[in-house]
Amino acid sequence: MGYRVVVVGATGNVGREMLNILAERQFPADEVVVLASRKSMGTEVSFGDTTLTTKDLDTFDFTGYDIAFFAVGSDATKKYAPVAAKQGCVVIDNSSLYRYDPDVPLVVPEVNPEAVEGYTKKNIIANPNCSTAQMVVALKPLHDRAKIKRVVVSTYQSVSGSGKDAIDELWNQTKGVYVPGQEVAPKAYPKQIAFNVIPHIDVFMDSGDTKEEWKMVAETKKIVDPSIKVTATCVRVPVFVGHSESINVEFEDFLDEDEARDILREAPGCMVIDKREDGGYVTPIECVGDFATFISRIRQDSTIDNGLNMWVVSDNLRKGAALNAVQIAETLGARCLKKG
């Protein structure tokens, strides 16, 4: 017997990607229901070879359904996720609402699969921030070998992380640069994103960090190890899909770059493409549509004891969001629900 599955926010970028991945990975679902806000009710979305019509989230009864993937903002999640959980449906939430709740597991299946077993406290599991997810996939196998003390990460995050309006803004601004009279003023971002980079993702905090940077710190500690020190600078770049990260890692013990490369080649979810030649690395455009977290430019950092540098790239709509959510469901099924 398979699962009865609900996708909330099915008309958005992440919701549509969740449906694609559920179909691609042949998730054992007997029924898939797609929900959206009332204004989007009746919209058709694809699920494998079939077309599904969205139903109204506001009136939906989750009773009898096993898993609900939430791909909506924190406000809608705050209203509807407790309803679904109370009605017996396990919520896998892609928003930031529950990530820092001590009673809600924050899970990257390649890193802390055992954490899903804590779902019973609230019937909710949180999906991490997209930039955190790919980073911890690369860090955890190295941490197991040499124990990480400190991480310095600079991100290069695509506009798809901000949603459809931001994708449209990059597209229209890029065209407008070349067509007099068709210039597009910033709306999704505080400054022009076309042909530019913006060192500002989410809101500024009193510390001077942005909320995105704080998320990477807090989530890495919760998922991997609370003793790891993390400092982040998060930057939006004019790329449609695919987040990149330059990561500097300081370990307690020495870790040779060749051994690190071998460890990552064997690690779940990792793909090492690291040749010291022109094009011997992965860029965002090459990772789109792929499940893996790609790791390149692995090299010793001679300025500190026990340091390594690396370049990490992943499709943020997949590993950073939809894929990780589906993998959580697969892990939940294997460890706890025992269906399919």
Side-chain angles (χ1 to χ4, degrees):
M1 189 169 75
Y3 297 95
R4 300 181 74 203
V5 172
V6 182
V7 178
V8 180
T11 59
N13 289 335
V14 174
R16 290 177 187 270
E17 198 64 30
M18 284 176 175
L19 290 166
N20 290 338
I21 292 171
L22 285 166
E24 285 177 29
R25 294 173 74 91
Q26 298 181 322
F27 186 80
D30 285 348
E31 180 185 357
V32 176
V33 175
V34 289
L35 305 182
S37 62
R38 191 157 291 172
K39 68 178 183 179
S40 299
M41 189 174 63
T43 302
E44 293 186 339
V45 293
S46 297
F47 174 60
D49 295 329
T50 64
T51 299
L52 305 176
T53 303
T54 56
K55 297 181 180 180
D56 183 11
L57 169 60
D58 203 41
T59 58
F60 187 75
D61 184 354
F62 290 88
T63 304
Y65 288 87
D66 299 296
I67 298 170
F69 296 95
F70 270 65
V72 290
S74 293
D75 289 343
T77 300
K78 187 175 184 178
K79 181 177 180 180
Y80 297 105
V83 174
K86 191 174 181 180
Q87 291 173 348
C89 185
V90 183
V91 171
I92 299 175
D93 175 34
N94 194 61
S95 82
S96 61
L97 183 65
Y98 291 105
R99 290 175 187 160
Y100 317 106
D101 186 325
D103 291 332
V104 174
L106 181 65
V107 179
V108 176
E110 296 94 335
V111 178
N112 61 338
E114 69 288 344
V116 297
E117 295 170 13
Y119 83 95
T120 53
K121 292 180 180 178
K122 287 193 174 178
N123 232 24
I124 298 171
I125 301 172
N127 208 22
N129 189 40
C130 48
S131 51
T132 305
Q134 68 187 66
M135 182 172 76
V136 298
V137 167
L139 292 181
K140 180 58 163 60
L142 302 179
H143 181 64
D144 288 344
R145 160 62 180 82
K147 194 168 175 58
I148 295 170
K149 290 172 60 177
R150 181 170 185 256
V151 175
V152 181
V153 56
S154 297
T155 71
Y156 308 75
Q157 295 178 227
S158 66
V159 297
S160 57
S162 302
K164 184 179 183 301
D165 288 346
I167 294 172
D168 291 343
E169 187 161 304
L170 173 57
W171 174 249
N172 292 324
Q173 278 184 355
T174 302
K175 290 190 296 181
V177 168
Y178 292 103
V179 183
Q182 292 189 19
E183 295 86 356
V184 175
K187 188 175 179 182
Y189 297 115
K191 298 197 178 192
Q192 177 180 310
I193 185 61
F195 303 98
N196 200 16
V197 297
I198 304 173
H200 173 196
I201 301 178
D202 212 323
V203 298
F204 278 97
M205 305 175 71
D206 291 342
S207 64
D209 293 319
T210 63
K211 188 72 175 291
E212 184 83 356
E213 291 156 356
W214 176 84
K215 289 174 188 174
M216 294 193 74
V217 175
E219 292 173 18
T220 301
K221 289 176 175 290
K222 185 172 179 179
I223 296 167
V224 183
D225 188 332
S227 69
I228 296 176
K229 295 179 180 179
V230 181
T231 183
T233 301
C234 294
V235 182
R236 192 71 70 186
V237 297
V239 170
F240 285 109
V241 179
H243 287 358
S244 306
E245 297 171 349
S246 171
I247 304 175
N248 176 267
V249 189
E250 182 180 0
F251 299 92
E252 287 193 2
D253 301 316
F254 178 76
L255 179 60
D256 178 76
E257 63 187 41
D258 292 326
E259 185 182 355
R261 207 172 283 113
D262 290 340
I263 289 169
L264 291 168
R265 283 196 178 104
E266 298 299 320
C270 294
M271 179 71 70
V272 175
I273 308 291
D274 190 18
K275 297 180 180 179
R276 294 176 179 178
E277 60 186 42
D278 291 353
Y281 42 81
V282 172
T283 58
I285 203 166
E286 296 158 301
C287 78
V288 175
D290 206 295
F291 291 141
T293 295
F294 292 90
I295 306 165
S296 309
R297 302 295 318 280
I298 302 165
R299 62 204 190 278
Q300 230 75 51
D301 175 5
S302 61
T303 68
I304 56 172
D305 293 335
N306 308 331
L308 281 179
N309 290 304
M310 56 186 172
W311 172 254
V312 177
V313 179
S314 192
D315 181 331
N316 56 292
L317 296 179
R318 292 206 153 206
K319 186 54 195 168
L323 171 62
N324 199 73
V326 174
Q327 288 177 307
I328 289 172
E330 292 169 345
T331 306
L332 178 71
R335 284 178 170 262
C336 306
L337 301 185
K338 308 291 187 183
K339 291 174 73 173

